[in-house]
Amino acid sequence: MIVLKSQREIEAMKKAGEILALCHKEIAKLIKPGITTWEIDQFVDDFLSKHQATPEQKGYKGYEYATCASINDEICHGFPRKDPLKTGDIVTVDMVVNYNGALADSAWTYPVGKVSKETEHLLKVTKEALYKGIEQCVPGNRIGDIGHAIQTFVESEGLSVVRDFIGHGIGSVIHEKPDVPHYGLPGKGARIKEGMVFTIEPMVNIGKYQTKMDNNGWTARTIDGKYSAQYEHTIAITKDGPMIITDQD
Ligand code: MF3
Ligand code: CO
């Protein structure tokens, strides 16, 4: 069942989204060679508590950290750890913020120092793919239009879209209906309606789209060891189109 949100609920989620966006902007300043994802996770924990917010991922299905921090060939759900980031790495920091019971979810990939041309291209295409998906979020379109726009663009740039992890409805819990794949066919899937709130979070790989799971049961990585990037926003559907709950601008 897809739960439609009232304007009040959407406004509450927007407040959570504003805190999350501010937090990402602070993380952007912290990322440099030598910092660890452990330190970033602690920063996020402190930042949220200073803003009377909580990290919803902590304790979710036994997950232990405020953030997911996925480095290089890790696609998603990497554990924060004490190894320093190095020049040329990329790191995706993903978090769900709870503010007064309302949630917002956003992931961002950060380059560490100077990265290769190939990596720059990966980041640029992945971010652009997110916004191509968001453009499709107008009432009357279908969920398949989002995935189709993303997949067509990513593949035209010679990169691949991960299939095993998808966007999701979000409200008072992290994962609700609808499912939002980042691939698919136009005109297919549920119709997009005013009051829906869901994430769009394309994970894009330089090499093959397939994933493999680490022994920790959480962290997914590329099967060929090539880099993977991800940008995620939480989107509310208004009668005029998409409102980006986690907008950083
Ligand atoms: N933020 C993640 C998403 O985009 C949810 C991760 S749940 C966790 O779907 F427990 F792994 F953190
Ligand atoms: Co997320």
Coordinates of all heavy atoms in Angstrom, one line a residue, residues 77-125:
H77 N 25.9 0.4 2.0 CA 25.8 -0.2 3.3 C 27.3 -0.6 3.8 O 27.4 -1.6 4.5 CB 24.9 -1.4 3.3 CG 23.5 -1.1 2.9 ND1 22.6 -2.0 2.4 CD2 22.9 0.1 2.8 CE1 21.5 -1.4 2.1 NE2 21.6 -0.1 2.3
G78 N 28.3 0.2 3.4 CA 29.6 0.0 4.0 C 29.6 0.5 5.5 O 28.8 1.4 5.9
F79 N 30.4 -0.2 6.3 CA 30.5 0.2 7.7 C 31.5 1.3 7.9 O 32.6 1.1 7.4 CB 30.9 -1.0 8.6 CG 29.9 -2.2 8.7 CD1 30.2 -3.3 9.4 CD2 28.6 -2.0 8.2 CE1 29.3 -4.3 9.5 CE2 27.7 -3.1 8.3 CZ 28.1 -4.2 9.0
P80 N 31.2 2.3 8.7 CA 32.3 3.3 9.1 C 33.4 2.5 9.7 O 33.2 1.6 10.5 CB 31.5 4.2 10.1 CG 30.1 4.1 9.7 CD 29.9 2.6 9.3
R81 N 34.6 2.9 9.4 CA 35.8 2.2 10.0 C 37.0 3.2 10.1 O 37.0 4.3 9.7 CB 36.1 1.0 9.1 CG 36.3 1.3 7.7 CD 36.6 0.0 6.9 NE 37.0 0.1 5.6 CZ 36.1 0.1 4.5 NH1 34.9 -0.2 4.7 NH2 36.6 0.2 3.3
K82 N 38.1 2.6 10.7 CA 39.2 3.5 11.1 C 40.3 3.6 10.1 O 41.3 4.2 10.5 CB 39.7 3.1 12.5 CG 38.6 3.4 13.6 CD 39.0 3.0 15.0 CE 37.9 3.4 16.0 NZ 38.0 2.7 17.3
D83 N 40.1 3.1 8.9 CA 41.2 3.2 7.9 C 41.1 4.6 7.3 O 40.0 5.0 6.9 CB 41.0 2.2 6.7 CG 40.8 0.8 7.2 OD1 41.5 0.4 8.2 OD2 39.9 0.1 6.7
P84 N 42.2 5.3 7.2 CA 42.1 6.7 6.6 C 41.8 6.6 5.1 O 42.3 5.8 4.4 CB 43.5 7.3 6.8 CG 44.3 6.2 7.5 CD 43.5 5.0 7.7
L85 N 41.0 7.6 4.7 CA 40.7 7.8 3.2 C 42.0 8.3 2.6 O 42.7 9.1 3.2 CB 39.6 8.7 3.0 CG 38.2 8.2 3.6 CD1 37.2 9.3 3.6 CD2 37.7 7.0 2.7
K86 N 42.2 7.9 1.3 CA 43.4 8.3 0.5 C 43.0 9.1 -0.7 O 41.9 8.9 -1.2 CB 44.1 7.0 0.0 CG 44.5 6.0 1.1 CD 45.2 4.8 0.6 CE 44.5 4.0 -0.6 NZ 43.2 3.5 -0.2
T87 N 43.9 9.9 -1.2 CA 43.7 10.6 -2.4 C 43.3 9.7 -3.5 O 43.9 8.6 -3.7 CB 45.0 11.3 -2.9 OG1 45.4 12.2 -1.8 CG2 44.9 12.1 -4.2
G88 N 42.2 10.0 -4.3 CA 41.8 9.2 -5.4 C 40.6 8.3 -5.0 O 39.9 7.7 -5.9
D89 N 40.4 8.2 -3.7 CA 39.2 7.4 -3.2 C 37.9 8.2 -3.5 O 37.9 9.4 -3.6 CB 39.3 7.1 -1.7 CG 40.3 6.1 -1.3 OD1 40.8 5.4 -2.2 OD2 40.6 6.0 -0.1
I90 N 36.8 7.4 -3.4 CA 35.5 8.1 -3.3 C 34.8 7.4 -2.2 O 35.0 6.3 -1.9 CB 34.6 8.0 -4.6 CG1 34.4 6.6 -5.1 CG2 35.3 8.8 -5.7 CD1 33.5 6.4 -6.2
V91 N 33.9 8.2 -1.5 CA 33.2 7.7 -0.4 C 31.7 8.2 -0.4 O 31.5 9.4 -0.6 CB 33.8 8.0 1.0 CG1 34.0 9.5 1.2 CG2 33.1 7.3 2.1
T92 N 30.8 7.2 -0.3 CA 29.4 7.6 -0.3 C 28.9 7.5 1.1 O 29.0 6.5 1.8 CB 28.6 6.5 -1.1 OG1 29.0 6.5 -2.5 CG2 27.1 6.9 -1.1
V93 N 28.4 8.7 1.6 CA 27.9 8.8 3.0 C 26.4 8.8 2.8 O 25.8 9.7 2.2 CB 28.5 10.0 3.7 CG1 27.9 10.0 5.1 CG2 30.0 10.0 3.7
D94 N 25.7 7.9 3.5 CA 24.2 7.7 3.4 C 23.7 7.8 4.8 O 24.2 7.1 5.7 CB 23.9 6.4 2.7 CG 22.4 6.2 2.4 OD1 21.6 7.1 2.6 OD2 22.1 5.1 1.9
M95 N 22.6 8.6 5.0 CA 22.0 8.6 6.3 C 20.5 8.9 6.3 O 20.1 9.6 5.3 CB 22.8 9.6 7.2 CG 22.5 11.0 6.8 SD 23.4 12.2 7.8 CE 24.7 12.6 6.6
V96 N 19.8 8.5 7.3 CA 18.4 8.8 7.5 C 18.3 9.6 8.8 O 18.7 9.1 9.8 CB 17.6 7.5 7.5 CG1 16.1 7.9 7.7 CG2 17.8 6.7 6.3
V97 N 17.7 10.8 8.7 CA 17.6 11.6 9.8 C 16.1 11.6 10.3 O 15.2 11.7 9.5 CB 18.0 13.1 9.5 CG1 17.6 14.1 10.6 CG2 19.4 13.2 9.2
N98 N 16.0 11.4 11.6 CA 14.7 11.5 12.3 C 14.6 12.8 13.1 O 15.4 13.0 14.0 CB 14.5 10.3 13.2 CG 13.2 10.2 13.9 OD1 12.6 11.2 14.2 ND2 12.7 9.0 14.1
Y99 N 13.6 13.6 12.7 CA 13.4 14.8 13.5 C 11.9 14.9 13.9 O 11.0 14.9 13.0 CB 13.7 16.1 12.6 CG 13.6 17.4 13.3 CD1 14.4 17.7 14.4 CD2 12.6 18.3 13.0 CE1 14.3 18.9 15.1 CE2 12.5 19.5 13.6 CZ 13.3 19.8 14.7 OH 13.2 21.0 15.4
N100 N 11.7 14.8 15.2 CA 10.3 14.7 15.7 C 9.4 13.6 15.0 O 8.2 13.8 14.7 CB 9.5 16.0 15.4 CG 10.1 17.1 16.4 OD1 10.5 16.8 17.5 ND2 10.0 18.4 15.9
G101 N 10.1 12.5 14.7 CA 9.3 11.3 14.1 C 9.2 11.4 12.6 O 8.7 10.4 12.0
A102 N 9.6 12.5 12.0 CA 9.6 12.5 10.5 C 11.0 12.2 10.0 O 12.0 12.6 10.5 CB 9.1 13.9 10.0
L103 N 11.0 11.5 8.8 CA 12.3 11.0 8.3 C 12.7 11.7 7.0 O 11.8 12.1 6.2 CB 12.3 9.5 8.1 CG 11.9 8.6 9.3 CD1 12.0 7.1 8.8 CD2 12.8 8.9 10.4
A104 N 14.0 11.7 6.7 CA 14.5 12.1 5.4 C 15.8 11.3 5.2 O 16.5 11.0 6.1 CB 14.8 13.6 5.4
D105 N 16.0 10.9 3.9 CA 17.1 10.0 3.6 C 17.9 10.6 2.4 O 17.3 11.0 1.4 CB 16.4 8.7 3.2 CG 17.4 7.5 2.9 OD1 18.6 7.7 2.9 OD2 16.9 6.4 2.6
S106 N 19.2 10.7 2.6 CA 20.0 11.2 1.4 C 21.4 10.7 1.5 O 22.1 10.7 2.6 CB 20.0 12.8 1.5 OG 20.9 13.3 0.5
A107 N 21.9 10.3 0.3 CA 23.3 9.8 0.2 C 24.0 10.7 -0.8 O 23.4 11.2 -1.7 CB 23.3 8.4 -0.3
W108 N 25.3 10.9 -0.6 CA 26.1 11.7 -1.4 C 27.5 11.1 -1.6 O 28.1 10.6 -0.6 CB 26.3 13.1 -0.8 CG 26.3 14.2 -1.7 CD1 27.3 15.0 -2.1 CD2 25.1 14.7 -2.5 NE1 26.9 16.0 -3.0 CE2 25.6 15.8 -3.3 CE3 23.8 14.3 -2.6 CZ2 24.7 16.5 -4.1 CZ3 22.9 15.0 -3.4 CH2 23.4 16.1 -4.2
T109 N 28.1 11.1 -2.8 CA 29.4 10.6 -3.0 C 30.4 11.7 -3.0 O 30.2 12.7 -3.8 CB 29.5 9.7 -4.2 OG1 28.6 8.6 -4.1 CG2 30.9 9.1 -4.4
Y110 N 31.5 11.6 -2.2 CA 32.5 12.6 -2.1 C 33.8 12.1 -2.7 O 34.2 11.0 -2.3 CB 32.7 13.0 -0.7 CG 31.5 13.6 0.0 CD1 30.6 12.7 0.7 CD2 31.2 14.9 -0.2 CE1 29.5 13.3 1.3 CE2 30.0 15.4 0.4 CZ 29.2 14.6 1.2 OH 28.1 15.1 1.7
P111 N 34.5 12.9 -3.5 CA 35.8 12.5 -4.0 C 36.8 12.9 -2.9 O 36.6 13.9 -2.2 CB 36.0 13.4 -5.2 CG 35.1 14.6 -5.0 CD 34.0 14.2 -4.1
V112 N 37.8 12.1 -2.7 CA 38.9 12.4 -1.7 C 40.1 12.9 -2.4 O 40.7 12.2 -3.2 CB 39.2 11.1 -0.9 CG1 40.3 11.5 0.2 CG2 38.0 10.5 -0.3
G113 N 40.4 14.2 -2.2 CA 41.5 14.8 -2.9 C 41.3 14.8 -4.4 O 40.1 14.8 -4.8
K114 N 42.3 14.6 -5.2 CA 42.2 14.6 -6.6 C 41.9 13.2 -7.1 O 42.6 12.2 -6.7 CB 43.4 15.1 -7.3 CG 43.3 15.2 -8.8 CD 44.0 16.4 -9.5 CE 43.9 16.4 -11.0 NZ 42.4 16.5 -11.4
V115 N 40.8 13.0 -7.9 CA 40.4 11.7 -8.4 C 40.7 11.6 -9.9 O 40.9 12.7 -10.5 CB 39.0 11.3 -8.0 CG1 38.7 11.3 -6.5 CG2 38.0 12.3 -8.7
S116 N 40.7 10.4 -10.4 CA 41.0 10.2 -11.9 C 39.8 10.8 -12.7 O 38.7 11.0 -12.2 CB 41.1 8.7 -12.2 OG 39.8 8.1 -12.1
K117 N 40.1 11.0 -14.0 CA 39.1 11.5 -15.0 C 37.9 10.5 -15.0 O 36.8 11.0 -15.1 CB 39.8 11.6 -16.4 CG 40.6 12.8 -16.5 CD 39.8 14.0 -17.1 CE 40.4 15.4 -17.0 NZ 40.9 15.9 -15.7
E118 N 38.3 9.3 -15.0 CA 37.2 8.2 -15.1 C 36.3 8.3 -13.8 O 35.1 8.2 -14.0 CB 37.9 6.9 -15.1 CG 37.0 5.7 -15.3 CD 37.7 4.4 -15.3 OE1 38.5 4.1 -14.3 OE2 37.5 3.5 -16.2
T119 N 36.9 8.6 -12.7 CA 36.1 8.7 -11.5 C 35.2 10.0 -11.5 O 34.1 10.0 -11.1 CB 37.0 8.7 -10.2 OG1 37.7 7.5 -10.2 CG2 36.2 8.8 -8.9
E120 N 35.8 11.1 -12.0 CA 35.1 12.4 -12.1 C 33.9 12.2 -13.0 O 32.8 12.7 -12.7 CB 36.0 13.5 -12.8 CG 36.8 14.2 -11.8 CD 37.7 15.2 -12.5 OE1 37.6 15.5 -13.7 OE2 38.6 15.7 -11.8
H121 N 34.1 11.4 -14.1 CA 32.9 11.2 -15.0 C 31.9 10.3 -14.3 O 30.7 10.7 -14.4 CB 33.5 10.4 -16.2 CG 32.4 10.1 -17.2 ND1 32.1 8.8 -17.6 CD2 31.6 10.8 -18.0 CE1 31.2 8.8 -18.5 NE2 30.8 10.0 -18.8
L122 N 32.3 9.3 -13.5 CA 31.3 8.5 -12.8 C 30.5 9.4 -11.8 O 29.2 9.3 -11.8 CB 32.1 7.5 -11.9 CG 31.2 6.7 -10.9 CD1 30.2 5.8 -11.6 CD2 32.1 5.9 -10.0
L123 N 31.1 10.3 -11.1 CA 30.4 11.2 -10.2 C 29.4 12.1 -10.9 O 28.3 12.3 -10.5 CB 31.4 12.0 -9.3 CG 32.3 11.2 -8.4 CD1 33.2 12.1 -7.5 CD2 31.6 10.1 -7.6
K124 N 29.9 12.7 -12.0 CA 29.1 13.6 -12.7 C 27.8 13.0 -13.3 O 26.7 13.5 -13.2 CB 30.0 14.2 -13.8 CG 29.3 15.2 -14.7 CD 30.3 16.0 -15.6 CE 29.6 16.9 -16.6 NZ 29.2 16.1 -17.8
V125 N 28.0 11.8 -13.9 CA 26.9 11.1 -14.5 C 25.9 10.6 -13.5 O 24.7 10.7 -13.6 CB 27.4 9.9 -15.4 CG1 26.3 9.0 -15.8 CG2 28.2 10.4 -16.6

